PDB file of all heavy atoms in Angstrom:
ATOM      1  N   PHE A 109      -6.736 -13.120  -3.847  1.00  0.00           N
ATOM      2  CA  PHE A 109      -7.285 -13.595  -5.119  1.00  0.00           C
ATOM      3  C   PHE A 109      -7.051 -15.136  -5.296  1.00  0.00           C
ATOM      4  O   PHE A 109      -6.257 -15.507  -6.134  1.00  0.00           O
ATOM      5  CB  PHE A 109      -6.684 -12.829  -6.367  1.00  0.00           C
ATOM      6  CG  PHE A 109      -6.666 -11.292  -6.099  1.00  0.00           C
ATOM      7  CD1 PHE A 109      -5.552 -10.654  -5.670  1.00  0.00           C
ATOM      8  CD2 PHE A 109      -7.860 -10.562  -6.249  1.00  0.00           C
ATOM      9  CE1 PHE A 109      -5.513  -9.291  -5.437  1.00  0.00           C
ATOM     10  CE2 PHE A 109      -7.863  -9.190  -6.108  1.00  0.00           C
ATOM     11  CZ  PHE A 109      -6.715  -8.590  -5.671  1.00  0.00           C
ATOM     12  N   PRO A 110      -7.750 -15.919  -4.502  1.00  0.00           N
ATOM     13  CA  PRO A 110      -7.439 -17.367  -4.398  1.00  0.00           C
ATOM     14  C   PRO A 110      -7.567 -18.115  -5.701  1.00  0.00           C
ATOM     15  O   PRO A 110      -7.078 -19.244  -5.839  1.00  0.00           O
ATOM     16  CB  PRO A 110      -8.383 -17.836  -3.338  1.00  0.00           C
ATOM     17  CG  PRO A 110      -9.466 -16.828  -3.213  1.00  0.00           C
ATOM     18  CD  PRO A 110      -8.832 -15.556  -3.566  1.00  0.00           C
ATOM     19  N   ASP A 111      -8.298 -17.580  -6.686  1.00  0.00           N
ATOM     20  CA  ASP A 111      -8.417 -18.293  -7.992  1.00  0.00           C
ATOM     21  C   ASP A 111      -7.302 -17.934  -8.930  1.00  0.00           C
ATOM     22  O   ASP A 111      -7.252 -18.544 -10.059  1.00  0.00           O
ATOM     23  CB  ASP A 111      -9.834 -17.903  -8.626  1.00  0.00           C
ATOM     24  CG  ASP A 111     -10.960 -18.484  -7.841  1.00  0.00           C
ATOM     25  OD1 ASP A 111     -10.836 -19.420  -7.117  1.00  0.00           O
ATOM     26  OD2 ASP A 111     -12.007 -17.809  -7.893  1.00  0.00           O
ATOM     27  N   LEU A 112      -6.386 -17.080  -8.492  1.00  0.00           N
ATOM     28  CA  LEU A 112      -5.316 -16.646  -9.382  1.00  0.00           C
ATOM     29  C   LEU A 112      -3.949 -17.024  -8.768  1.00  0.00           C
ATOM     30  O   LEU A 112      -3.869 -17.340  -7.559  1.00  0.00           O
ATOM     31  CB  LEU A 112      -5.336 -15.114  -9.548  1.00  0.00           C
ATOM     32  CG  LEU A 112      -6.664 -14.540 -10.089  1.00  0.00           C
ATOM     33  CD1 LEU A 112      -6.595 -13.016 -10.080  1.00  0.00           C
ATOM     34  CD2 LEU A 112      -6.984 -15.111 -11.457  1.00  0.00           C
ATOM     35  N   VAL A 113      -2.901 -17.108  -9.618  1.00  0.00           N
ATOM     36  CA  VAL A 113      -1.562 -17.442  -9.161  1.00  0.00           C
ATOM     37  C   VAL A 113      -1.102 -16.368  -8.240  1.00  0.00           C
ATOM     38  O   VAL A 113      -1.503 -15.169  -8.313  1.00  0.00           O
ATOM     39  CB  VAL A 113      -0.604 -17.683 -10.267  1.00  0.00           C
ATOM     40  CG1 VAL A 113      -1.046 -18.856 -11.143  1.00  0.00           C
ATOM     41  CG2 VAL A 113      -0.418 -16.414 -11.125  1.00  0.00           C
ATOM     42  N   PRO A 114      -0.189 -16.683  -7.322  1.00  0.00           N
ATOM     43  CA  PRO A 114       0.438 -15.720  -6.413  1.00  0.00           C
ATOM     44  C   PRO A 114       1.505 -14.890  -7.075  1.00  0.00           C
ATOM     45  O   PRO A 114       1.957 -13.846  -6.556  1.00  0.00           O
ATOM     46  CB  PRO A 114       1.050 -16.509  -5.284  1.00  0.00           C
ATOM     47  CG  PRO A 114       1.340 -17.848  -5.926  1.00  0.00           C
ATOM     48  CD  PRO A 114       0.250 -18.112  -6.944  1.00  0.00           C
ATOM     49  N   GLY A 115       1.965 -15.320  -8.277  1.00  0.00           N
ATOM     50  CA  GLY A 115       3.094 -14.701  -8.873  1.00  0.00           C
ATOM     51  C   GLY A 115       4.424 -15.170  -8.382  1.00  0.00           C
ATOM     52  O   GLY A 115       4.477 -15.761  -7.282  1.00  0.00           O
ATOM     53  N   GLY A 116       5.477 -15.000  -9.169  1.00  0.00           N
ATOM     54  CA  GLY A 116       6.778 -15.585  -8.741  1.00  0.00           C
ATOM     55  C   GLY A 116       7.873 -14.616  -9.172  1.00  0.00           C
ATOM     56  O   GLY A 116       7.596 -13.624  -9.819  1.00  0.00           O
ATOM     57  N   SER A 117       9.071 -14.911  -8.709  1.00  0.00           N
ATOM     58  CA  SER A 117       9.402 -16.142  -8.039  1.00  0.00           C
ATOM     59  C   SER A 117       9.263 -16.101  -6.519  1.00  0.00           C
ATOM     60  O   SER A 117       9.229 -17.113  -5.815  1.00  0.00           O
ATOM     61  CB  SER A 117      10.792 -16.604  -8.464  1.00  0.00           C
ATOM     62  OG  SER A 117      11.789 -15.711  -7.907  1.00  0.00           O
ATOM     63  N   SER A 118       9.096 -14.838  -5.960  1.00  0.00           N
ATOM     64  CA  SER A 118       9.068 -14.716  -4.532  1.00  0.00           C
ATOM     65  C   SER A 118       7.616 -14.852  -4.099  1.00  0.00           C
ATOM     66  O   SER A 118       7.090 -14.059  -3.360  1.00  0.00           O
ATOM     67  CB  SER A 118       9.635 -13.395  -4.110  1.00  0.00           C
ATOM     68  OG  SER A 118      10.956 -13.156  -4.588  1.00  0.00           O
ATOM     69  N   SER A 119       6.958 -15.934  -4.500  1.00  0.00           N
ATOM     70  CA  SER A 119       5.574 -16.202  -4.220  1.00  0.00           C
ATOM     71  C   SER A 119       5.249 -16.282  -2.750  1.00  0.00           C
ATOM     72  O   SER A 119       4.306 -15.678  -2.350  1.00  0.00           O
ATOM     73  CB  SER A 119       5.137 -17.550  -4.874  1.00  0.00           C
ATOM     74  OG  SER A 119       5.984 -18.583  -4.523  1.00  0.00           O
ATOM     75  N   GLY A 120       5.955 -17.062  -1.967  1.00  0.00           N
ATOM     76  CA  GLY A 120       5.721 -17.216  -0.635  1.00  0.00           C
ATOM     77  C   GLY A 120       5.936 -15.949   0.248  1.00  0.00           C
ATOM     78  O   GLY A 120       5.161 -15.680   1.156  1.00  0.00           O
ATOM     79  N   SER A 121       6.839 -15.148  -0.154  1.00  0.00           N
ATOM     80  CA  SER A 121       7.135 -13.879   0.534  1.00  0.00           C
ATOM     81  C   SER A 121       5.936 -12.972   0.441  1.00  0.00           C
ATOM     82  O   SER A 121       5.445 -12.342   1.356  1.00  0.00           O
ATOM     83  CB  SER A 121       8.365 -13.218  -0.045  1.00  0.00           C
ATOM     84  OG  SER A 121       9.486 -14.049   0.145  1.00  0.00           O
ATOM     85  N   ALA A 122       5.381 -12.781  -0.833  1.00  0.00           N
ATOM     86  CA  ALA A 122       4.238 -11.924  -1.052  1.00  0.00           C
ATOM     87  C   ALA A 122       3.029 -12.483  -0.400  1.00  0.00           C
ATOM     88  O   ALA A 122       2.246 -11.725   0.199  1.00  0.00           O
ATOM     89  CB  ALA A 122       4.026 -11.730  -2.564  1.00  0.00           C
ATOM     90  N   ALA A 123       2.813 -13.822  -0.548  1.00  0.00           N
ATOM     91  CA  ALA A 123       1.599 -14.445   0.010  1.00  0.00           C
ATOM     92  C   ALA A 123       1.611 -14.291   1.551  1.00  0.00           C
ATOM     93  O   ALA A 123       0.517 -14.152   2.169  1.00  0.00           O
ATOM     94  CB  ALA A 123       1.492 -15.865  -0.447  1.00  0.00           C
ATOM     95  N   ALA A 124       2.737 -14.541   2.151  1.00  0.00           N
ATOM     96  CA  ALA A 124       2.824 -14.477   3.647  1.00  0.00           C
ATOM     97  C   ALA A 124       2.424 -13.088   4.163  1.00  0.00           C
ATOM     98  O   ALA A 124       1.695 -12.946   5.172  1.00  0.00           O
ATOM     99  CB  ALA A 124       4.256 -14.793   4.119  1.00  0.00           C
ATOM    100  N   VAL A 125       2.853 -12.016   3.466  1.00  0.00           N
ATOM    101  CA  VAL A 125       2.496 -10.608   3.860  1.00  0.00           C
ATOM    102  C   VAL A 125       0.974 -10.428   3.600  1.00  0.00           C
ATOM    103  O   VAL A 125       0.299  -9.835   4.461  1.00  0.00           O
ATOM    104  CB  VAL A 125       3.339  -9.627   3.113  1.00  0.00           C
ATOM    105  CG1 VAL A 125       2.842  -8.230   3.284  1.00  0.00           C
ATOM    106  CG2 VAL A 125       4.813  -9.718   3.583  1.00  0.00           C
ATOM    107  N   ALA A 126       0.509 -10.832   2.415  1.00  0.00           N
ATOM    108  CA  ALA A 126      -0.905 -10.605   2.049  1.00  0.00           C
ATOM    109  C   ALA A 126      -1.776 -11.322   3.038  1.00  0.00           C
ATOM    110  O   ALA A 126      -2.966 -10.844   3.314  1.00  0.00           O
ATOM    111  CB  ALA A 126      -1.124 -11.036   0.617  1.00  0.00           C
ATOM    112  N   ASP A 127      -1.355 -12.477   3.557  1.00  0.00           N
ATOM    113  CA  ASP A 127      -2.238 -13.267   4.445  1.00  0.00           C
ATOM    114  C   ASP A 127      -2.088 -12.779   5.907  1.00  0.00           C
ATOM    115  O   ASP A 127      -2.795 -13.385   6.792  1.00  0.00           O
ATOM    116  CB  ASP A 127      -1.819 -14.734   4.377  1.00  0.00           C
ATOM    117  CG  ASP A 127      -2.913 -15.656   4.778  1.00  0.00           C
ATOM    118  OD1 ASP A 127      -4.154 -15.269   4.690  1.00  0.00           O
ATOM    119  OD2 ASP A 127      -2.665 -16.839   5.108  1.00  0.00           O
ATOM    120  N   GLY A 128      -1.203 -11.821   6.127  1.00  0.00           N
ATOM    121  CA  GLY A 128      -1.075 -11.300   7.493  1.00  0.00           C
ATOM    122  C   GLY A 128      -0.284 -12.242   8.410  1.00  0.00           C
ATOM    123  O   GLY A 128      -0.266 -12.081   9.589  1.00  0.00           O
ATOM    124  N   LEU A 129       0.431 -13.250   7.853  1.00  0.00           N
ATOM    125  CA  LEU A 129       1.186 -14.178   8.606  1.00  0.00           C
ATOM    126  C   LEU A 129       2.482 -13.525   9.164  1.00  0.00           C
ATOM    127  O   LEU A 129       3.005 -13.996  10.170  1.00  0.00           O
ATOM    128  CB  LEU A 129       1.606 -15.370   7.759  1.00  0.00           C
ATOM    129  CG  LEU A 129       0.422 -16.202   7.184  1.00  0.00           C
ATOM    130  CD1 LEU A 129       0.916 -17.381   6.307  1.00  0.00           C
ATOM    131  CD2 LEU A 129      -0.414 -16.731   8.334  1.00  0.00           C
ATOM    132  N   VAL A 130       2.994 -12.531   8.408  1.00  0.00           N
ATOM    133  CA  VAL A 130       4.160 -11.779   8.874  1.00  0.00           C
ATOM    134  C   VAL A 130       3.937 -10.323   8.578  1.00  0.00           C
ATOM    135  O   VAL A 130       3.121  -9.940   7.717  1.00  0.00           O
ATOM    136  CB  VAL A 130       5.457 -12.275   8.181  1.00  0.00           C
ATOM    137  CG1 VAL A 130       5.876 -13.622   8.642  1.00  0.00           C
ATOM    138  CG2 VAL A 130       5.303 -12.250   6.700  1.00  0.00           C
ATOM    139  N   ASP A 131       4.773  -9.435   9.245  1.00  0.00           N
ATOM    140  CA  ASP A 131       4.616  -8.024   8.954  1.00  0.00           C
ATOM    141  C   ASP A 131       5.286  -7.620   7.677  1.00  0.00           C
ATOM    142  O   ASP A 131       4.864  -6.797   6.944  1.00  0.00           O
ATOM    143  CB  ASP A 131       5.331  -7.219  10.150  1.00  0.00           C
ATOM    144  CG  ASP A 131       4.553  -7.489  11.440  1.00  0.00           C
ATOM    145  OD1 ASP A 131       3.376  -7.319  11.492  1.00  0.00           O
ATOM    146  OD2 ASP A 131       5.262  -7.876  12.471  1.00  0.00           O
ATOM    147  N   VAL A 132       6.521  -8.236   7.410  1.00  0.00           N
ATOM    148  CA  VAL A 132       7.243  -8.016   6.182  1.00  0.00           C
ATOM    149  C   VAL A 132       7.835  -9.330   5.735  1.00  0.00           C
ATOM    150  O   VAL A 132       7.906 -10.294   6.449  1.00  0.00           O
ATOM    151  CB  VAL A 132       8.321  -6.938   6.406  1.00  0.00           C
ATOM    152  CG1 VAL A 132       7.737  -5.523   6.764  1.00  0.00           C
ATOM    153  CG2 VAL A 132       9.308  -7.383   7.472  1.00  0.00           C
ATOM    154  N   ALA A 133       8.308  -9.278   4.476  1.00  0.00           N
ATOM    155  CA  ALA A 133       9.060 -10.462   3.957  1.00  0.00           C
ATOM    156  C   ALA A 133      10.229  -9.956   3.092  1.00  0.00           C
ATOM    157  O   ALA A 133      10.208  -8.859   2.580  1.00  0.00           O
ATOM    158  CB  ALA A 133       8.093 -11.356   3.272  1.00  0.00           C
ATOM    159  N   ILE A 134      11.176 -10.901   2.909  1.00  0.00           N
ATOM    160  CA  ILE A 134      12.319 -10.600   1.997  1.00  0.00           C
ATOM    161  C   ILE A 134      12.210 -11.552   0.799  1.00  0.00           C
ATOM    162  O   ILE A 134      11.956 -12.771   0.999  1.00  0.00           O
ATOM    163  CB  ILE A 134      13.581 -10.797   2.754  1.00  0.00           C
ATOM    164  CG1 ILE A 134      13.700  -9.884   3.977  1.00  0.00           C
ATOM    165  CG2 ILE A 134      14.775 -10.542   1.803  1.00  0.00           C
ATOM    166  CD1 ILE A 134      13.675  -8.386   3.668  1.00  0.00           C
TER     167      ILE A 134
END
C-alpha cells in the first residue's frame, strides 16, 4: 500500500517481509 504509512515502530521489519526482501523479521 505505497500511498499509506508502513506503521510503526517496527516499520522496517514489516516492510522487509512484505517486500519479500527477507523470509522473516524481528
Side-chain angles (χ1 to χ4, degrees):
F109 310 101
D111 294 333
L112 304 177
V113 296
S117 65
S118 305
S119 53
S121 300
V125 170
D127 205 23
L129 300 177
V130 289
D131 298 308
V132 296
I134 301 297

